[in-house]
Amino acid sequence: MKIDMKQPILDKNDAIARELRERFAEHHVYVVDLLASPGSGKTSTILATIDALRDEFNIAVIEGDIASSVDAEKIKAQGIAAVQINTGGACHLESAMIKRAIDVLDLERLDLIIVENVGNLVCPTDFDLGENAKVMILSVPEGDDKPLKYPGVFQVSEAVILNKVDTMPVFNFNQEAFEESVNQLNPQAPIFPLSATTGEGLKAWTSWLAERIRKA
């Protein structure tokens, strides 16, 4: 006899995610779930995005990590509300965690919530958090073959950020091959090459995001 434990977990997660989505829609809050590997530059991308959009939108961040609150402290230092979730070993965030996190946020005052998921290219793809969009971040040093190795995360993403393009001359990264692979997996997803640290290419990404926040 085979017992499928995954489906009941996902069913419960999805039910809470539906409640969250309704709650976010009621308050006109746009929610982005950022997926990436450790070291891809999620936090630096978040900080650059906040800097570009904070004059127009009220922003909060939910930080997901296995342990520590280092990234949340970086966000708070910029005067932005941040809630830390430590999973204690779990490789992804779940909707129940997000539900508890938003209880300490004032949704009436927010336009955008950025969720920094746990650094992982596999587990988070299955878990709906009630977000409007999942966005994938890949950094140049990780290599152009990641869409071939981890197709699922690219397929579920509304957009793909190629970060650390300022390091392109140092690494043997084939941008054309990378973009072709992403387009085959997910032809609807725009690709935003940028450098979160230098600001190169950032405007295209933040303009795309701002347009969607305004429609929330």
Side-chain angles (χ1 to χ4, degrees):
M1 180 178 179
K2 183 178 180 180
I3 300 175
D4 183 1
M5 296 299 296
K6 181 178 180 181
Q7 198 56 48
I9 292 171
L10 290 178
D11 288 346
K12 182 178 179 180
N13 181 86
D14 290 348
I16 298 173
R18 285 191 292 271
E19 295 175 13
L20 288 172
R21 188 165 284 112
E22 292 174 1
R23 191 171 172 187
F24 294 142
E26 178 185 351
H27 291 89
H28 303 285
V29 179
Y30 193 85
V31 181
V32 175
D33 179 16
L34 283 182
L35 310 177
S37 298
S40 64
K42 292 192 301 297
T43 304
S44 59
T45 301
I46 290 171
L47 289 170
T49 301
I50 288 170
D51 191 51
L53 298 179
R54 66 187 304 162
D55 289 344
E56 182 177 357
F57 304 111
N58 291 321
I59 305 169
V61 176
I62 297 175
E63 285 285 346
D65 287 295
I66 290 176
S68 90
S69 59
V70 173
D71 292 337
E73 295 304 321
K74 292 178 182 177
I75 303 297
K76 290 177 182 178
Q78 302 304 312
I80 298 296
V83 181
Q84 181 70 52
I85 299 175
N86 289 131
T87 65
C91 60
H92 59 273
L93 295 178
E94 298 180 11
S95 58
M97 301 175 186
I98 302 299
K99 184 176 182 179
R100 291 193 294 271
I102 65 170
D103 284 342
V104 301
L105 295 173
D106 185 358
L107 295 183
E108 291 284 353
R109 297 184 63 253
L110 292 176
D111 303 301
L112 171 66
I113 296 176
I114 302 174
V115 178
E116 181 175 347
N117 216 311
V118 179
N120 191 306
L121 295 183
V122 180
C123 303
T125 60
D126 289 333
F127 287 84
D128 185 355
L129 304 182
E131 75 281 346
N132 295 89
K134 291 187 185 297
V135 174
M136 163 68 185
I137 302 178
L138 181 85
S139 65
V140 166
E142 295 174 75
D144 54 62
D145 60 348
K146 289 301 178 290
L148 303 176
K149 293 182 176 181
Y150 302 96
V153 69
F154 291 91
Q155 289 171 325
V156 302
S157 296
E158 295 281 333
V160 175
I161 293 172
L162 177 61
N163 194 20
K164 304 185 183 181
V165 295
D166 53 312
T167 68
M168 197 83 72
V170 181
F171 295 93
N172 185 25
F173 188 95
N174 188 328
Q175 185 173 350
E176 183 178 351
F178 168 75
E179 293 183 354
E180 182 179 345
S181 297
V182 173
N183 288 332
Q184 287 177 352
L185 290 168
N186 189 347
Q188 287 77 40
I191 301 170
F192 298 105
L194 61 83
S195 169
T197 55
T198 69
E200 177 185 351
L202 187 68
K203 186 172 178 56
W205 151 246
T206 55
S207 296
W208 179 90
L209 180 56
E211 181 181 349
R212 279 151 183 77
I213 299 169
R214 296 186 193 108
K215 294 177 180 178

